[in-house]
Amino acid sequence: MTKIVLATHNPGKVREIADLLRPLGLDVVSAGELGLPEPEETAKDFLGNACIKAEAAAQASNLPALADDSGFCVDGLNGDPGIYSARWAGPDKDFSYAMSRVHEELELKGLSESRGHFVCALALAIPSAETRMFEGRVSGKTVWPPRGGHGFGYDPMFLADGQTQTFGEMAPQDKHAMSHRARAFQLLLEDGVLTGLVR
Ligand code: IMP
């Protein structure tokens, strides 16, 4: 089976991406399991950071590597936390704290809620080939207080357009069917480069 490295140390992402890749018959191993270092995310956008992570993992492992850089962009906060979504949770990765910060910063602007969207940028780096990139989005609004114990990150405070349940309340397969990550994956699959790796 062809091995592919998931260039992430985030267990929530590993779970979701492994679920999306499993049907393809790829042998998924995470950068964390391989003990690969986490490169610094120095780009100014999601696609740039996804490239940095995928290319670092492909180079260190000499295997194809897939990276996801994603985040929550809140219109009322001029797109924040955006590429800083993970960093807003602090060193303890406390997303109750990060969600409270979103809520409090909106309140400081006199807003009780705001439109927003999740973005997922995917980069697939294959040793000695050009890196491929794809981006998916899902739009909706913030809710307060947070609702639901599924998913990860900002899921409990996000209500996608047309839904009555937050991402935190949805069953994982329902979130997978419509999320920013699922949309980026759809583009990746349509490109065919990933299925071309499967032997
Ligand atoms: P990254 O590892 O720098 O890409 O961090 C992305 C951060 O964005 C995560 O730690 C989450 O806080 C947030 N995020 C990305 N995707 C999702 C999602 O599907 N649900 C909730 N939060 C997400």
Side-chain angles (χ1 to χ4, degrees), residues 19 24 28 71 73 82 87-88 115 117 121 142 146 151 174 194:
D19 281 353
L24 295 179
V28 174
C73 304
R87 278 167 260 185
W88 273 35
R115 292 215 36 93
H117 58 273
T142 63
D174 294 337
L194 198 56

Side-chain angles (χ1 to χ4, degrees), residues 116-120 136-140 158 160-161 167 178-181 183:
H117 58 273
F118 277 115
V119 177
C120 172
R137 287 176 180 227
V138 60
S139 294
F158 180 73
D161 288 341
F167 270 5
M178 59 165 307
S179 74
H180 48 310
R181 197 159 288 105
R183 289 176 183 175

Side-chain angles (χ1 to χ4, degrees), residues 5-199:
V5 181
L6 289 189
T8 176
H9 289 69
N10 176 329
K13 284 188 188 174
V14 172
R15 205 168 47 239
E16 290 198 0
I17 297 172
D19 281 353
L20 290 159
L21 290 180
R22 199 166 295 119
L24 295 179
L26 286 162
D27 181 10
V28 174
V29 56
S30 77
E33 284 170 78
L34 292 180
L36 303 181
E38 272 183 282
E40 228 188 306
E41 297 177 24
T42 50
K44 289 191 170 48
D45 57 25
F46 294 106
L47 284 169
N49 282 331
C51 267
I52 289 175
K53 290 188 276 192
E55 287 174 357
Q59 201 175 9
S61 65
N62 204 30
L63 290 168
L66 182 67
D68 161 315
D69 197 69
S70 47
F72 187 33
C73 304
V74 178
D75 294 6
L77 302 180
N78 300 319
D80 278 342
I83 59 169
Y84 305 107
S85 293
R87 278 167 260 185
W88 273 35
D92 295 335
K93 306 198 172 169
D94 179 350
F95 282 96
S96 303
Y97 169 78
M99 288 190 284
S100 297
R101 182 167 166 196
V102 169
H103 172 64
E104 281 160 21
E105 295 211 5
L106 283 172
E107 277 201 320
L108 284 174
K109 293 175 181 262
L111 300 169
S112 58
E113 61 175 42
S114 168
R115 292 215 36 93
H117 58 273
F118 277 115
V119 177
C120 172
L122 290 178
L124 177 63
I126 300 172
S128 67
E130 206 169 307
T131 300
R132 323 272 308 171
M133 288 178 279
F134 311 89
E135 191 175 277
R137 287 176 180 227
V138 60
S139 294
K141 64 171 189 169
T142 63
V143 295
W144 197 260
R147 302 189 330 232
H150 292 296
F152 67 99
Y154 299 84
D155 279 342
M157 74 173 304
F158 180 73
L159 187 66
D161 288 341
Q163 300 298 311
T164 54
Q165 291 185 310
T166 67
F167 270 5
E169 292 173 306
M170 282 184 175
Q173 64 270 24
D174 294 337
K175 178 187 170 190
H176 289 179
M178 59 165 307
S179 74
H180 48 310
R181 197 159 288 105
R183 289 176 183 175
F185 263 86
Q186 190 59 38
L187 297 174
L188 170 66
L189 293 181
E190 283 167 14
D191 180 74
V193 65
L194 198 56
T195 36
L197 291 176
V198 182
R199 279 184 245 120

